Amino acid sequence: MAHHSFAAVFDASKAIRVTGTLVKIEWTNPHIYFYVDATDEKGTVVRWACESAAPGALSRRGFKRSLLKLGETLVIDGYQAKNGANLMDARRVTLPNGQILSGASAGNGGPQ
Protein backbone atom coordinates (compact mmCIF):
# COMPACT_ATOMS: atom_id res chain seq x y z
CA MET A 1 0.00 0.00 0.00
CA ALA A 2 1.24 3.48 -0.82
CA HIS A 3 1.66 6.27 1.69
CA HIS A 4 -1.72 7.87 2.40
CA SER A 5 -3.63 10.09 4.79
CA PHE A 6 -5.81 8.63 7.51
CA ALA A 7 -9.01 9.75 5.77
CA ALA A 8 -8.10 7.96 2.53
CA VAL A 9 -8.34 4.53 4.15
CA PHE A 10 -9.80 4.68 7.67
CA ASP A 11 -13.15 5.75 9.15
CA ALA A 12 -12.93 8.05 12.19
CA SER A 13 -16.42 6.94 13.24
CA LYS A 14 -15.36 3.26 13.49
CA ALA A 15 -13.30 3.20 16.68
CA ILE A 16 -12.43 -0.39 17.58
CA ARG A 17 -10.41 -2.38 20.09
CA VAL A 18 -8.79 -5.64 19.07
CA THR A 19 -7.09 -8.03 21.47
CA GLY A 20 -4.98 -10.65 19.78
CA THR A 21 -1.79 -12.66 19.53
CA LEU A 22 1.05 -11.03 17.59
CA VAL A 23 1.91 -13.25 14.61
CA LYS A 24 3.87 -11.04 12.18
CA ILE A 25 5.73 -7.70 12.04
CA GLU A 26 6.66 -5.65 8.96
CA TRP A 27 8.90 -2.83 10.23
CA THR A 28 9.17 -0.88 6.95
CA ASN A 29 8.50 2.60 5.52
CA PRO A 30 6.23 4.42 5.03
CA HIS A 31 4.10 2.62 7.67
CA ILE A 32 4.83 -0.37 9.85
CA TYR A 33 2.31 -3.18 9.87
CA PHE A 34 1.87 -5.83 12.49
CA TYR A 35 -0.64 -8.63 12.47
CA VAL A 36 -2.62 -10.19 15.30
CA ASP A 37 -4.89 -13.18 15.44
CA ALA A 38 -8.03 -12.35 17.43
CA THR A 39 -11.13 -14.38 18.23
CA ASP A 40 -14.36 -12.77 17.06
CA GLU A 41 -17.77 -12.97 18.74
CA LYS A 42 -18.53 -16.22 16.86
CA GLY A 43 -15.36 -17.91 18.15
CA THR A 44 -13.58 -17.68 14.80
CA VAL A 45 -9.92 -16.64 14.71
CA VAL A 46 -9.55 -13.55 12.53
CA ARG A 47 -6.26 -11.97 11.41
CA TRP A 48 -6.09 -8.19 11.77
CA ALA A 49 -3.56 -6.02 9.95
CA CYS A 50 -2.59 -3.07 12.15
CA GLU A 51 -1.04 -0.01 10.50
CA SER A 52 1.08 2.46 12.45
CA ALA A 53 3.44 5.33 11.73
CA ALA A 54 6.83 5.15 10.04
CA PRO A 55 9.62 3.28 11.89
CA GLY A 56 11.65 6.43 12.58
CA ALA A 57 8.71 8.34 14.02
CA LEU A 58 7.76 5.40 16.24
CA SER A 59 11.33 4.92 17.48
CA ARG A 60 11.62 8.59 18.45
CA ARG A 61 8.54 8.10 20.67
CA GLY A 62 9.93 4.98 22.31
CA PHE A 63 7.94 2.49 20.21
CA LYS A 64 10.79 0.15 19.27
CA ARG A 65 10.51 -3.04 17.23
CA SER A 66 12.15 -4.95 20.10
CA LEU A 67 9.09 -4.23 22.28
CA LEU A 68 6.88 -6.33 19.99
CA LYS A 69 7.31 -10.04 20.67
CA LEU A 70 5.73 -12.71 18.49
CA GLY A 71 3.27 -14.82 20.46
CA GLU A 72 2.41 -12.10 22.98
CA THR A 73 -1.10 -10.73 23.44
CA LEU A 74 -1.60 -7.09 22.49
CA VAL A 75 -4.55 -4.76 22.91
CA ILE A 76 -4.84 -2.37 19.97
CA ASP A 77 -7.13 0.66 19.90
CA GLY A 78 -7.72 2.39 16.60
CA TYR A 79 -10.01 2.84 13.64
CA GLN A 80 -11.23 0.31 11.10
CA ALA A 81 -10.76 0.60 7.35
CA LYS A 82 -13.60 2.29 5.49
CA ASN A 83 -14.21 -0.83 3.41
CA GLY A 84 -14.80 -2.97 6.54
CA ALA A 85 -11.68 -5.08 6.01
CA ASN A 86 -9.73 -6.46 8.97
CA LEU A 87 -7.36 -3.52 8.69
CA MET A 88 -7.03 -0.89 11.38
CA ASP A 89 -5.12 2.30 12.06
CA ALA A 90 -3.38 1.35 15.31
CA ARG A 91 -3.44 4.53 17.40
CA ARG A 92 -2.58 2.91 20.73
CA VAL A 93 -0.94 -0.42 21.53
CA THR A 94 -0.98 -1.90 25.03
CA LEU A 95 1.72 -4.47 25.72
CA PRO A 96 1.27 -7.44 28.10
CA ASN A 97 3.16 -5.55 30.85
CA GLY A 98 0.66 -2.65 30.62
CA GLN A 99 3.02 -0.30 28.76
CA ILE A 100 1.10 1.86 26.28
CA LEU A 101 2.68 2.87 22.98
CA SER A 102 1.44 5.53 20.59
CA GLY A 103 1.26 4.15 17.07
CA ALA A 104 -0.41 7.16 15.47
CA SER A 105 1.05 8.94 12.48
CA ALA A 106 1.34 12.58 13.52
CA GLY A 107 -0.43 15.01 11.22
CA ASN A 108 -2.11 12.34 9.06
CA GLY A 109 -5.58 13.76 9.60
CA GLY A 110 -6.72 11.06 11.99
CA PRO A 111 -8.21 11.51 15.46
CA GLN A 112 -5.65 12.27 18.16
Side-chain angles (χ1 to χ4, degrees):
M1 291 180 66
H3 189 258
H4 54 266
S5 72
F6 173 90
V9 179
F10 302 101
D11 185 339
S13 70
K14 291 184 182 176
I16 57 171
R17 172 175 277 181
V18 172
T19 300
T21 303
L22 183 63
V23 295
K24 182 178 177 182
I25 306 164
E26 295 174 352
W27 197 265
T28 57
N29 282 313
H31 297 280
I32 74 154
Y33 286 86
F34 57 96
Y35 302 83
V36 296
D37 283 349
T39 304
D40 68 12
E41 62 280 347
K42 297 175 189 169
T44 305
V45 175
V46 176
R47 181 151 299 168
W48 280 87
C50 305
E51 178 184 296
S52 283
L58 293 173
S59 292
R60 286 188 292 278
R61 283 185 266 169
F63 189 149
K64 310 271 187 209
R65 181 180 185 158
S66 62
L67 294 172
L68 298 176
K69 309 250 187 301
L70 295 177
E72 288 191 335
T73 300
L74 305 177
V75 177
I76 306 104
D77 293 295
Y79 297 89
Q80 190 170 9
K82 285 181 175 182
N83 66 4
N86 293 335
L87 168 66
M88 68 185 294
D89 179 67
R91 307 302 275 187
R92 188 172 83 170
V93 179
T94 305
L95 302 176
N97 67 2
Q99 182 179 1
I100 296 172
L101 305 170
S102 172
S105 293
N108 73 347
Q112 295 301 320

